[in-house]
Amino acid sequence: MIQKLMSFFLLALVIGFYQPEKTYGGSSPLEKLLEQNDKIKALAKYKDSEEVIKLKLENLDEINESRRVYGLGPVKLDILASRVANLHCVEMLKYNYMGHWNKKGYKPYHRYAFAGGRDHVSENLYMKMTTSSFDQSSESVLDLMAEGHGLFMAEIAPNDGHKKQVLRREHTHVGIGYAINNKGFRYAQEFVDRYVKLKPVARKVSVGDTIILKGKMLRRVRKKYGPYALIIYYEPVPRQFNYKRQPGSYGDFTNSRYLMVPPWKIKYNRNKNTFKIKIKFKNARKGLYYIQLYIRDNVKTIPYKPRGRVSMNTQNAISVTGLVIEVK
């Protein structure tokens, strides 16, 4: 979806599929974020300064206010997703394009996974250009981020994809990124759905290999939710992608499903809230495999040990992982 907003000197564009004392997401103080910022080593080139993190926390308050108005809980700022967003904004601005695919043809879930992310992620993007010159001060950047978010929230159905993304109940975190120069500005929201903690798995395997996906439900959701299904989608490694001519929206998965694991094939320990899933790449083609784990509420009714004929439907389940594994 592409929407253009024209004024006499400025062109703004948004695309998509996501003073009183401030709380910064409810329970994530600035000090804790700064500690995380120093601890995380991935994409160190795109690490934010303390000043920029403070700016993003201001923008986070606007995002959370939008959610509060609709009766939704706050999201927290995510450091890794913010760096992923920074990288994409820098690339888009440098090469003068706008889109959810980067120059290599990777979509948001690829970019987040390749940076080390394991959760489900979804993206909103905004762009603005000027024929004069942008003020690049912190105040101006904050205003531009607020403008982008404001345009998302001003959307009217049926053309309200960004607004719906902001207001998805299952979001727990958001990465905020931007890039600015004299002539252009790029802004990204990378919404994260974090409900499980996964143990590391190999990111590259060979045809015939087997991996074991192990994880644990996070404490805040473990009594309500349980693992429900695992679906893996196949796609070839992108080649020669025309990043300057790309669709305005992206699919969160492909039409090529490689494997589906129902709940009765998930080894789930309700006492420890841990799960284990075997994934075989016996008949796999070389390429990328996008792994989505779904969880569902009312965990007591999930058929881990089915009796008789049972059906499975992920329509009301939540996708909580975004692993991408390459089979070579």
Side-chain angles (χ1 to χ4, degrees):
M1 172 179 60
I2 297 180
Q3 175 184 356
K4 296 184 178 179
L5 304 164
M6 298 295 297
S7 64
F8 186 68
F9 290 110
L10 298 173
L11 167 67
L13 175 126
V14 292
I15 74 172
F17 153 67
Y18 174 195
Q19 92 178 19
E21 183 177 356
K22 301 184 183 303
T23 61
Y24 302 140
S27 60
S28 182
L30 175 61
E31 292 77 14
K32 185 176 181 180
L33 283 171
L34 293 176
E35 290 177 3
Q36 293 174 358
N37 199 36
D38 289 335
K39 183 178 180 179
I40 294 174
K41 303 304 180 183
L43 299 181
K45 182 178 178 180
Y46 301 93
K47 177 181 178 180
D48 287 321
S49 66
E50 181 175 344
E51 179 185 7
V52 170
I53 289 178
K54 289 178 179 178
L55 284 180
K56 292 184 176 182
L57 289 173
E58 293 281 348
N59 186 236
L60 177 69
D61 281 329
E62 296 182 75
I63 293 172
N64 281 332
E65 175 60 19
S66 297
R67 290 175 61 85
R68 185 195 67 78
V69 169
Y70 285 84
L72 300 173
V75 292
K76 299 178 181 180
L77 186 67
D78 188 82
I79 295 297
L80 178 61
S82 293
R83 293 186 189 179
V84 173
N86 287 342
L87 170 57
H88 192 50
C89 288
V90 167
E91 181 183 288
M92 288 190 295
L93 187 60
K94 179 178 179 180
Y95 294 98
N96 191 29
Y97 78 95
M98 183 69 171
H100 293 291
W101 286 258
N102 69 2
K103 286 186 65 182
K104 293 182 177 180
Y106 294 140
K107 292 190 279 188
Y109 60 81
H110 294 120
R111 294 186 269 109
Y112 182 65
F114 293 157
R118 299 171 187 168
D119 307 294
H120 184 257
V121 67
S122 46
E123 179 178 85
N124 277 344
L125 296 178
Y126 168 78
M127 174 181 102
K128 190 168 188 176
M129 298 182 296
T130 180
T131 57
S132 55
S133 181
F134 271 126
D135 174 5
Q136 300 181 42
S137 66
S138 296
E139 293 78 9
S140 177
V141 168
L142 188 59
D143 287 343
L144 287 166
M145 289 194 292
E147 180 179 299
H149 178 70
L151 289 171
F152 296 156
M153 298 310 299
E155 293 176 341
I156 299 174
N159 300 313
D160 58 345
H162 310 89
K163 182 177 180 179
K164 286 181 177 179
Q165 190 63 257
V166 174
L167 300 178
R168 292 186 70 88
R169 186 176 297 275
E170 62 265 30
H171 294 329
T172 62
H173 295 71
V174 64
I176 298 173
Y178 75 87
I180 188 171
N181 61 20
N182 288 337
K183 299 298 181 182
F185 175 75
R186 303 292 190 276
Y187 170 65
Q189 297 174 340
E190 309 288 342
F191 287 99
V192 178
D193 307 326
R194 181 166 297 146
Y195 292 79
V196 300
K197 182 177 181 180
L198 297 178
K199 291 190 175 182
V201 295
R203 295 305 178 95
K204 294 185 179 181
V205 300
S206 300
V207 175
D209 285 352
T210 297
I211 65 171
I212 305 296
L213 186 66
K214 298 179 180 180
K216 186 174 185 178
M217 302 298 300
L218 295 181
R219 181 180 296 273
R220 60 183 171 79
V221 299
R222 66 187 185 185
K223 292 183 179 180
K224 182 178 181 182
Y225 292 94
Y228 180 59
L230 184 110
I231 302 179
I232 303 179
Y233 299 91
Y234 166 80
E235 56 193 305
V237 177
R239 305 289 185 190
Q240 297 180 339
F241 182 74
N242 187 350
Y243 60 93
K244 288 197 173 184
R245 298 186 65 181
Q246 57 175 282
S249 61
Y250 71 99
D252 187 44
F253 46 81
T254 70
N255 293 324
S256 180
R257 191 169 69 183
Y258 170 70
L259 179 68
M260 181 178 70
V261 179
W264 50 89
K265 290 189 177 181
I266 296 175
K267 293 185 177 180
Y268 178 52
N269 186 320
R270 284 192 61 190
N271 294 326
K272 296 182 178 180
N273 297 291
T274 59
F275 57 86
K276 182 166 60 174
I277 306 171
K278 181 180 292 188
I279 302 173
K280 297 180 179 180
F281 292 97
K282 182 178 180 180
N283 299 313
R285 293 177 286 172
K286 294 182 179 180
L288 301 178
Y289 290 79
Y290 178 38
I291 301 175
Q292 288 192 333
L293 173 67
Y294 288 83
I295 64 171
R296 204 195 70 182
D297 61 359
N298 202 2
V299 63
K300 292 182 180 180
T301 66
I302 297 177
Y304 295 116
K305 296 180 179 180
R307 294 181 179 179
R309 187 174 182 179
V310 297
S311 61
M312 187 183 73
N313 189 337
T314 59
Q315 183 175 357
N316 295 318
I318 303 173
S319 178
V320 297
T321 66
L323 292 173
V324 178
I325 292 179
E326 181 177 2
V327 174
K328 302 181 72 66

